[in-house]
Amino acid sequence: MQLSDIIHSRRSIRSFSDKPVSDEVLETLLNTALESPSSSNAQPYKIAVAKGDIAQAIAKDLEDKFWRSNAINRQPLPKKLISALTSDAMPDSDFKPILGKYPGIFQKRRVETGMGLYKVLGIKREDKKARDEHMAKNFSFFNAPVAVFFFVDPRMKHMALVDAGIFMQTLMLAATDMGLGTCAQGALGIWRSPLDKHFDIPKEYKLVCGMALGYPDDNVVNQYRPEKLSLDDLVISSK
Ligand SMILES: Cc1cc2nc3c(=O)[nH]c(=O)nc-3n(C[C@H](O)[C@H](O)[C@H](O)COP(=O)(O)O)c2cc1C
């Protein structure tokens, strides 16, 4: 594929076939992503790659935390506070606070994108149970055989996040080029503790985000193509 075709055909993949990703393919993808530019070539990132039993164990842990925290959030206020203080299910993300409702126009775009996705999935807006079940799928990486977790050293300030984002995009495009699919997943940054059980993460590195990686299947969800900004919305006009 031409690079422009790869860029245009990449879309977030939320349903995967059970075809495994070979170590050879994974290594090729990661070596390609390592070609990413970064601020002064500092490369202030590290990744953890979960597959097989480790991926399953992490998914089990994350799903469990998701459903338990979800139940706590539904409790009336005083009870909710007590449960939140005593439960190990509440978010233990490295970057706090977790972004709840997005500010301004971004929440509108988020809702539109979410509604578009639910429409493709046949989920009604008022069907909270179905929406929660879809959300829960994030934590098993939408059944992808591989989950990649991205960490940065925050001493590199905002540059660390810029660099990690570029690294992630290079990885996503390389995966698309090789017939694989990806979904960047902020949801995988909500809980850090399940990862610490399986990886020796250097303490200065903080979890930013995760990514599902595998071969897309033909589920209709993978056909969703949310609208992008127009150039008019993107480009700031001159004075
Ligand atoms: C940093 C980041 C975090 C994301 N987090 C999630 C997530 O937690 N769950 C999910 O289903 N999609 C997630 N996405 C995918 C976005 O929803 C998706 O990129 C956006 O809707 C545009 O669609 P496209 O990737 O198909 O072009 C994330 C994307 C990025 C870049």
Side-chain angles (χ1 to χ4, degrees):
M1 269 198 281
Q2 295 271 331
L3 178 60
S4 61
D5 295 331
I6 297 167
I7 292 169
H8 284 280
S9 66
R10 185 218 56 82
R11 278 297 174 273
S12 291
I13 295 301
R14 297 184 178 89
S15 186
F16 292 85
S17 79
D18 50 16
K19 180 177 173 183
V21 178
S22 70
D23 289 347
E24 198 190 349
V25 166
L26 198 51
E27 210 180 304
T28 303
L29 291 176
L30 295 177
N31 273 317
T32 305
L34 276 173
E35 292 298 322
S36 303
S38 67
S39 174
S40 295
N41 204 29
Q43 303 164 85
Y45 32 66
K46 280 193 177 288
I47 62 168
V49 181
K51 48 192 178 156
D53 290 348
I54 291 184
Q56 280 185 16
I58 292 171
K60 192 164 172 274
D61 228 355
L62 289 173
E63 283 176 305
D64 173 63
K65 285 186 190 294
F66 168 71
W67 285 115
R68 285 193 293 128
S69 66
N70 199 33
I72 290 171
N73 284 330
R74 298 262 169 81
Q75 290 174 344
L77 235 198
K79 205 171 169 215
K80 176 175 161 177
L81 283 177
I82 295 164
S83 307
L85 286 172
T86 53
S87 169
D88 69 348
M90 299 318 281
D92 56 15
S93 57
D94 283 332
F95 288 91
K96 293 188 183 73
I98 285 174
L99 191 54
K101 192 176 174 186
Y102 287 10
I105 182 77
F106 309 116
Q107 181 66 15
K108 183 172 172 277
R109 290 182 191 153
R110 177 196 212 179
V111 170
E112 278 169 8
T113 302
M115 287 302 123
L117 184 64
Y118 294 144
K119 195 171 171 199
V120 170
L121 287 166
I123 297 174
K124 296 221 160 52
R125 188 177 186 160
E126 58 280 10
D127 191 347
K128 185 87 179 82
K129 184 169 170 281
R131 281 166 48 197
D132 282 350
E133 277 162 5
H134 171 73
M135 182 65 192
K137 289 184 182 170
N138 272 281
F139 303 108
S140 54
F141 331 121
F142 302 111
N143 274 346
V146 179
V148 186
F149 296 87
F150 301 84
F151 302 82
V152 297
D153 187 328
R155 289 175 302 173
M156 282 299 290
K157 309 288 182 203
H158 66 288
M159 283 305 174
L161 298 173
V162 175
D163 294 343
I166 293 172
F167 183 91
M168 289 173 67
Q169 172 71 339
T170 310
L171 179 57
M172 291 193 279
L173 294 178
T176 308
D177 185 36
M178 290 184 74
L180 286 91
T182 56
C183 186
Q185 293 184 263
L188 298 182
I190 299 176
W191 288 278
R192 153 90 188 234
S193 48
L195 299 178
D196 285 313
K197 286 188 197 165
H198 301 275
F199 297 100
D200 282 325
I201 306 159
K203 71 171 182 352
E204 61 274 25
Y205 279 82
K206 305 299 175 201
L207 174 64
V208 181
C209 199
M211 186 186 291
L213 173 74
Y215 292 91
D217 70 10
D218 56 8
N219 190 299
V220 68
V221 72
N222 291 337
Q223 286 165 21
Y224 181 46
R225 297 184 70 82
E227 224 177 280
K228 305 293 179 178
L229 292 184
S230 66
L231 275 186
D232 281 349
D233 285 329
L234 175 72
V235 180
I236 300 167
S237 50
S238 55
K239 285 189 179 169

